[in-house]
Amino acid sequence: GENVEQHPSTLSVQEGDSAVIKCTYSDSASNYFPWYKQELGKRPQLIIDIRSNVGEKKDQRIAVTLNKTAKHFSLHITETQPEDSAVYFCAASETSYDKVIFGPGTSLSVIP
Amino acid sequence: DAGVIQSPRHEVTEMGQEVTLRCKPISGHNSLFWYRQTMMRGLELLIYFNNNVPIDDSGMPEDRFSAKMPNASFSTLKIQPSEPRDSAVYFCASSPGTSGEGELFFGEGSRLTVL
């Protein structure tokens, strides 16, 4: 089955700096890669996703890149703000609605 | 829509007791997922349903866990008997389940403590 790894497990950045979180997956059949943000005590919520026919996707300060050959994908947050502090999960799925397997999460702290 | 609704929000029980967690997915969504979240193991997929049919239950830890989806608007996750190691936050999530619409909509979770 699919296995998703994520690094780093914790990340601290100064406000205004960029943050990068990297993930790898094992199943070459996976073709849908969402990212979820979970604030303390809250539910995970989708922030961006990418499909295997796209190499990069941007949404304001957030961007995701995908390298299918290497089976890895990354989340980039620019101009970080304190409200970006949360746990970020990458995930992989064979289809858009098949089982979604999550990475272990990255705890991001943005220091004002 | 009110979103995915889970109950109870908090449950404290003693080892050996039966626990039933409930979930009402978003109306019209075709897929329903149960996840367990702990510090040690992160978000683990326990089981998921498509059109009320269980598709993959390989994540269910053992026979003490069972899940049902008798209709499109209701699902339960049952633990019998419960053990302290079952303490976790259990999330239910639903998805439209059609190509190009892969977002999981999570409920607020049920925090289970087994003493």
Side-chain angles (χ1 to χ4, degrees):
Chain A
E2 177 64 272
N3 182 50
V4 179
E5 297 186 352
Q6 186 171 347
H7 299 279
S9 57
T10 60
L11 179 60
S12 289
V13 299
Q14 290 290 135
E15 182 177 358
D17 288 349
S18 295
V20 180
I21 302 170
K22 298 182 178 182
C23 290
T24 60
Y25 61 98
S26 61
D27 188 350
S28 57
S30 290
N31 57 12
Y32 174 65
F33 307 93
W35 288 85
Y36 285 79
K37 175 183 179 182
Q38 185 179 28
E39 297 177 353
L40 188 63
K42 301 287 184 64
R43 72 191 87 185
Q45 291 187 294
L46 181 74
I47 56 171
I48 194 168
D49 57 14
I50 190 168
R51 292 173 174 78
S52 60
N53 58 344
V54 175
E56 182 175 357
K57 184 178 179 180
K58 283 186 179 181
D59 182 3
Q60 300 182 350
R61 297 186 296 109
I62 295 173
V64 58
T65 59
L66 171 64
N67 183 328
K68 281 226 75 180
T69 303
K71 290 192 280 189
H72 60 69
F73 55 114
S74 301
L75 177 72
H76 304 250
I77 306 174
T78 58
E79 301 173 23
T80 54
Q81 301 168 3
E83 50 265 40
D84 294 330
S85 297
V87 178
Y88 291 81
F89 294 94
C90 62
S93 171
E94 186 174 345
T95 69
S96 289
Y97 56 92
D98 205 348
K99 61 181 184 180
V100 179
I101 302 300
F102 284 85
T106 295
S107 179
L108 172 65
S109 297
V110 179
I111 304 165
Chain B
D1 200 312
V4 177
I5 299 172
Q6 290 186 246
S7 64
R9 291 292 313 282
H10 302 274
E11 173 106 4
V12 180
T13 191
E14 293 191 345
M15 183 173 62
Q17 296 299 305
E18 178 178 293
V19 173
T20 299
L21 308 178
R22 297 173 177 80
C23 176
K24 181 181 188 308
I26 293 173
S27 177
H29 281 194
N30 296 319
S31 298
L32 183 139
F33 303 77
W34 282 100
Y35 285 89
R36 177 172 68 176
Q37 185 173 37
T38 61
M39 287 294 292
M40 291 296 295
R41 304 173 72 95
L43 273 166
E44 298 176 274
L45 177 63
L46 301 178
I47 185 171
Y48 76 102
F49 298 83
N50 276 351
N51 295 317
N52 312 340
V53 176
I55 303 300
D56 188 332
D57 66 354
S58 59
M60 296 286 260
E62 48 200 271
D63 291 346
R64 297 184 298 106
F65 285 69
S66 62
K68 293 182 179 179
M69 192 166 186
N71 56 61
S73 59
F74 184 65
S75 177
T76 60
L77 178 68
K78 187 173 292 188
I79 308 172
Q80 167 62 19
S82 58
E83 298 182 3
R85 59 191 167 129
D86 301 331
S87 297
V89 179
Y90 290 81
F91 284 103
C92 174
S94 69
S95 173
T98 59
S99 179
E101 296 176 282
E103 180 174 358
L104 294 181
F105 294 82
F106 284 83
E108 293 185 289
S110 294
R111 181 175 294 277
L112 173 65
T113 303
V114 183
L115 303 174

